[in-house]
PDB file of all heavy atoms in Angstrom:
ATOM      1  N   ARG A  73      84.004 121.418  82.169  1.00  0.00           N
ATOM      2  CA  ARG A  73      83.965 120.633  83.395  1.00  0.00           C
ATOM      3  C   ARG A  73      83.218 119.317  83.191  1.00  0.00           C
ATOM      4  O   ARG A  73      82.100 119.306  82.668  1.00  0.00           O
ATOM      5  CB  ARG A  73      83.297 121.441  84.504  1.00  0.00           C
ATOM      6  CG  ARG A  73      83.342 120.781  85.882  1.00  0.00           C
ATOM      7  CD  ARG A  73      82.648 121.684  86.902  1.00  0.00           C
ATOM      8  NE  ARG A  73      83.341 122.952  87.047  1.00  0.00           N
ATOM      9  CZ  ARG A  73      84.304 123.179  87.912  1.00  0.00           C
ATOM     10  NH1 ARG A  73      84.687 122.208  88.748  1.00  0.00           N
ATOM     11  NH2 ARG A  73      84.888 124.356  87.998  1.00  0.00           N
ATOM     12  N   PHE A  74      83.850 118.233  83.636  1.00  0.00           N
ATOM     13  CA  PHE A  74      83.246 116.906  83.496  1.00  0.00           C
ATOM     14  C   PHE A  74      83.424 116.190  84.825  1.00  0.00           C
ATOM     15  O   PHE A  74      84.554 115.962  85.253  1.00  0.00           O
ATOM     16  CB  PHE A  74      83.938 116.136  82.367  1.00  0.00           C
ATOM     17  CG  PHE A  74      83.243 114.888  81.916  1.00  0.00           C
ATOM     18  CD1 PHE A  74      81.864 114.796  81.889  1.00  0.00           C
ATOM     19  CD2 PHE A  74      83.981 113.801  81.456  1.00  0.00           C
ATOM     20  CE1 PHE A  74      81.230 113.646  81.437  1.00  0.00           C
ATOM     21  CE2 PHE A  74      83.364 112.645  80.994  1.00  0.00           C
ATOM     22  CZ  PHE A  74      81.979 112.572  80.981  1.00  0.00           C
ATOM     23  N   SER A  75      82.333 115.881  85.478  1.00  0.00           N
ATOM     24  CA  SER A  75      82.380 115.296  86.817  1.00  0.00           C
ATOM     25  C   SER A  75      82.015 113.823  86.781  1.00  0.00           C
ATOM     26  O   SER A  75      81.091 113.418  86.070  1.00  0.00           O
ATOM     27  CB  SER A  75      81.409 116.030  87.744  1.00  0.00           C
ATOM     28  OG  SER A  75      81.705 117.401  87.790  1.00  0.00           O
ATOM     29  N   LEU A  76      82.740 113.048  87.550  1.00  0.00           N
ATOM     30  CA  LEU A  76      82.448 111.620  87.713  1.00  0.00           C
ATOM     31  C   LEU A  76      81.880 111.425  89.109  1.00  0.00           C
ATOM     32  O   LEU A  76      82.437 111.931  90.089  1.00  0.00           O
ATOM     33  CB  LEU A  76      83.710 110.783  87.539  1.00  0.00           C
ATOM     34  CG  LEU A  76      83.547 109.270  87.694  1.00  0.00           C
ATOM     35  CD1 LEU A  76      82.737 108.695  86.533  1.00  0.00           C
ATOM     36  CD2 LEU A  76      84.914 108.585  87.768  1.00  0.00           C
ATOM     37  N   ILE A  77      80.772 110.698  89.198  1.00  0.00           N
ATOM     38  CA  ILE A  77      80.073 110.524  90.467  1.00  0.00           C
ATOM     39  C   ILE A  77      79.970 109.039  90.795  1.00  0.00           C
ATOM     40  O   ILE A  77      79.535 108.240  89.948  1.00  0.00           O
ATOM     41  CB  ILE A  77      78.656 111.138  90.394  1.00  0.00           C
ATOM     42  CG1 ILE A  77      78.753 112.618  90.011  1.00  0.00           C
ATOM     43  CG2 ILE A  77      77.926 110.981  91.740  1.00  0.00           C
ATOM     44  CD1 ILE A  77      77.499 113.175  89.397  1.00  0.00           C
ATOM     45  N   LEU A  78      80.387 108.696  91.989  1.00  0.00           N
ATOM     46  CA  LEU A  78      80.181 107.351  92.513  1.00  0.00           C
ATOM     47  C   LEU A  78      79.024 107.468  93.507  1.00  0.00           C
ATOM     48  O   LEU A  78      79.163 108.060  94.573  1.00  0.00           O
ATOM     49  CB  LEU A  78      81.432 106.828  93.215  1.00  0.00           C
ATOM     50  CG  LEU A  78      82.626 106.412  92.356  1.00  0.00           C
ATOM     51  CD1 LEU A  78      83.254 107.600  91.627  1.00  0.00           C
ATOM     52  CD2 LEU A  78      83.667 105.695  93.199  1.00  0.00           C
ATOM     53  N   GLU A  79      77.875 106.962  93.132  1.00  0.00           N
ATOM     54  CA  GLU A  79      76.662 107.166  93.928  1.00  0.00           C
ATOM     55  C   GLU A  79      76.789 106.535  95.318  1.00  0.00           C
ATOM     56  O   GLU A  79      76.350 107.094  96.309  1.00  0.00           O
ATOM     57  CB  GLU A  79      75.451 106.599  93.205  1.00  0.00           C
ATOM     58  CG  GLU A  79      75.118 107.311  91.893  1.00  0.00           C
ATOM     59  CD  GLU A  79      74.564 108.717  92.121  1.00  0.00           C
ATOM     60  OE1 GLU A  79      74.112 109.013  93.257  1.00  0.00           O
ATOM     61  OE2 GLU A  79      74.597 109.528  91.166  1.00  0.00           O
ATOM     62  N   SER A  80      77.403 105.365  95.374  1.00  0.00           N
ATOM     63  CA  SER A  80      77.596 104.663  96.644  1.00  0.00           C
ATOM     64  C   SER A  80      78.907 103.875  96.522  1.00  0.00           C
ATOM     65  O   SER A  80      78.924 102.768  95.986  1.00  0.00           O
ATOM     66  CB  SER A  80      76.421 103.731  96.928  1.00  0.00           C
ATOM     67  OG  SER A  80      76.625 103.013  98.130  1.00  0.00           O
ATOM     68  N   ALA A  81      79.974 104.495  96.994  1.00  0.00           N
ATOM     69  CA  ALA A  81      81.302 103.926  96.759  1.00  0.00           C
ATOM     70  C   ALA A  81      81.433 102.521  97.328  1.00  0.00           C
ATOM     71  O   ALA A  81      80.928 102.219  98.427  1.00  0.00           O
ATOM     72  CB  ALA A  81      82.369 104.841  97.354  1.00  0.00           C
ATOM     73  N   SER A  82      82.122 101.671  96.579  1.00  0.00           N
ATOM     74  CA  SER A  82      82.410 100.318  97.041  1.00  0.00           C
ATOM     75  C   SER A  82      83.907 100.061  96.942  1.00  0.00           C
ATOM     76  O   SER A  82      84.623 100.761  96.209  1.00  0.00           O
ATOM     77  CB  SER A  82      81.637  99.291  96.211  1.00  0.00           C
ATOM     78  OG  SER A  82      82.047  99.352  94.862  1.00  0.00           O
ATOM     79  N   THR A  83      84.372  99.052  97.673  1.00  0.00           N
ATOM     80  CA  THR A  83      85.819  98.804  97.717  1.00  0.00           C
ATOM     81  C   THR A  83      86.382  98.440  96.350  1.00  0.00           C
ATOM     82  O   THR A  83      87.552  98.731  96.068  1.00  0.00           O
ATOM     83  CB  THR A  83      86.143  97.693  98.728  1.00  0.00           C
ATOM     84  OG1 THR A  83      85.367  96.523  98.406  1.00  0.00           O
ATOM     85  CG2 THR A  83      85.809  98.118 100.154  1.00  0.00           C
ATOM     86  N   ASN A  84      85.559  97.849  95.477  1.00  0.00           N
ATOM     87  CA  ASN A  84      86.081  97.505  94.146  1.00  0.00           C
ATOM     88  C   ASN A  84      86.201  98.710  93.227  1.00  0.00           C
ATOM     89  O   ASN A  84      86.617  98.583  92.065  1.00  0.00           O
ATOM     90  CB  ASN A  84      85.261  96.393  93.489  1.00  0.00           C
ATOM     91  CG  ASN A  84      83.822  96.791  93.234  1.00  0.00           C
ATOM     92  OD1 ASN A  84      83.465  97.964  93.335  1.00  0.00           O
ATOM     93  ND2 ASN A  84      82.987  95.823  92.903  1.00  0.00           N
ATOM     94  N   GLN A  85      85.845  99.882  93.742  1.00  0.00           N
ATOM     95  CA  GLN A  85      86.062 101.112  92.993  1.00  0.00           C
ATOM     96  C   GLN A  85      87.356 101.817  93.422  1.00  0.00           C
ATOM     97  O   GLN A  85      87.661 102.918  92.945  1.00  0.00           O
ATOM     98  CB  GLN A  85      84.863 102.040  93.139  1.00  0.00           C
ATOM     99  CG  GLN A  85      83.623 101.500  92.439  1.00  0.00           C
ATOM    100  CD  GLN A  85      82.404 102.385  92.608  1.00  0.00           C
ATOM    101  OE1 GLN A  85      82.068 102.785  93.740  1.00  0.00           O
ATOM    102  NE2 GLN A  85      81.733 102.696  91.515  1.00  0.00           N
ATOM    103  N   THR A  86      88.108 101.175  94.284  1.00  0.00           N
ATOM    104  CA  THR A  86      89.447 101.667  94.602  1.00  0.00           C
ATOM    105  C   THR A  86      90.300 101.564  93.345  1.00  0.00           C
ATOM    106  O   THR A  86      90.452 100.484  92.772  1.00  0.00           O
ATOM    107  CB  THR A  86      90.070 100.829  95.735  1.00  0.00           C
ATOM    108  OG1 THR A  86      89.366 101.082  96.948  1.00  0.00           O
ATOM    109  CG2 THR A  86      91.545 101.187  95.931  1.00  0.00           C
ATOM    110  N   SER A  87      90.823 102.706  92.902  1.00  0.00           N
ATOM    111  CA  SER A  87      91.530 102.717  91.632  1.00  0.00           C
ATOM    112  C   SER A  87      92.150 104.083  91.395  1.00  0.00           C
ATOM    113  O   SER A  87      91.928 105.033  92.148  1.00  0.00           O
ATOM    114  CB  SER A  87      90.546 102.391  90.492  1.00  0.00           C
ATOM    115  OG  SER A  87      91.206 102.272  89.251  1.00  0.00           O
ATOM    116  N   MET A  88      92.904 104.180  90.307  1.00  0.00           N
ATOM    117  CA  MET A  88      93.378 105.469  89.813  1.00  0.00           C
ATOM    118  C   MET A  88      92.385 105.924  88.743  1.00  0.00           C
ATOM    119  O   MET A  88      92.073 105.176  87.813  1.00  0.00           O
ATOM    120  CB  MET A  88      94.770 105.331  89.195  1.00  0.00           C
ATOM    121  CG  MET A  88      95.211 106.553  88.396  1.00  0.00           C
ATOM    122  SD  MET A  88      95.643 107.955  89.433  1.00  0.00           S
ATOM    123  CE  MET A  88      97.421 107.914  89.259  1.00  0.00           C
ATOM    124  N   TYR A  89      91.878 107.140  88.887  1.00  0.00           N
ATOM    125  CA  TYR A  89      90.909 107.687  87.934  1.00  0.00           C
ATOM    126  C   TYR A  89      91.584 108.799  87.133  1.00  0.00           C
ATOM    127  O   TYR A  89      92.166 109.730  87.693  1.00  0.00           O
ATOM    128  CB  TYR A  89      89.678 108.214  88.661  1.00  0.00           C
ATOM    129  CG  TYR A  89      88.846 107.091  89.223  1.00  0.00           C
ATOM    130  CD1 TYR A  89      89.106 106.565  90.491  1.00  0.00           C
ATOM    131  CD2 TYR A  89      87.817 106.516  88.476  1.00  0.00           C
ATOM    132  CE1 TYR A  89      88.354 105.505  90.998  1.00  0.00           C
ATOM    133  CE2 TYR A  89      87.067 105.463  88.978  1.00  0.00           C
ATOM    134  CZ  TYR A  89      87.349 104.961  90.231  1.00  0.00           C
ATOM    135  OH  TYR A  89      86.611 103.908  90.720  1.00  0.00           O
ATOM    136  N   LEU A  90      91.482 108.670  85.819  1.00  0.00           N
ATOM    137  CA  LEU A  90      92.109 109.632  84.920  1.00  0.00           C
ATOM    138  C   LEU A  90      91.052 110.303  84.054  1.00  0.00           C
ATOM    139  O   LEU A  90      90.210 109.645  83.456  1.00  0.00           O
ATOM    140  CB  LEU A  90      93.130 108.942  84.015  1.00  0.00           C
ATOM    141  CG  LEU A  90      94.426 108.526  84.689  1.00  0.00           C
ATOM    142  CD1 LEU A  90      95.148 107.477  83.871  1.00  0.00           C
ATOM    143  CD2 LEU A  90      95.334 109.720  84.907  1.00  0.00           C
ATOM    144  N   CYS A  91      91.132 111.615  84.007  1.00  0.00           N
ATOM    145  CA  CYS A  91      90.276 112.406  83.136  1.00  0.00           C
ATOM    146  C   CYS A  91      91.095 112.802  81.915  1.00  0.00           C
ATOM    147  O   CYS A  91      92.305 113.038  82.017  1.00  0.00           O
ATOM    148  CB  CYS A  91      89.785 113.637  83.877  1.00  0.00           C
ATOM    149  SG  CYS A  91      88.835 114.790  82.871  1.00  0.00           S
ATOM    150  N   ALA A  92      90.464 112.864  80.754  1.00  0.00           N
ATOM    151  CA  ALA A  92      91.157 113.290  79.547  1.00  0.00           C
ATOM    152  C   ALA A  92      90.222 114.137  78.706  1.00  0.00           C
ATOM    153  O   ALA A  92      88.994 114.045  78.824  1.00  0.00           O
ATOM    154  CB  ALA A  92      91.651 112.083  78.741  1.00  0.00           C
ATOM    155  N   SER A  93      90.804 114.954  77.852  1.00  0.00           N
ATOM    156  CA  SER A  93      89.998 115.710  76.903  1.00  0.00           C
ATOM    157  C   SER A  93      90.669 115.658  75.546  1.00  0.00           C
ATOM    158  O   SER A  93      91.873 115.366  75.427  1.00  0.00           O
ATOM    159  CB  SER A  93      89.834 117.157  77.361  1.00  0.00           C
ATOM    160  OG  SER A  93      91.040 117.881  77.203  1.00  0.00           O
TER     161      SER A  93
END
Side-chain angles (χ1 to χ4, degrees):
Chain A
R73 187 180 297 270
F74 192 35
S75 303
L76 180 69
I77 303 157
L78 287 66
E79 295 289 342
S80 178
S82 63
T83 54
N84 63 12
Q85 291 178 310
T86 291
S87 185
M88 168 73 106
Y89 289 87
L90 286 161
C91 175
S93 73

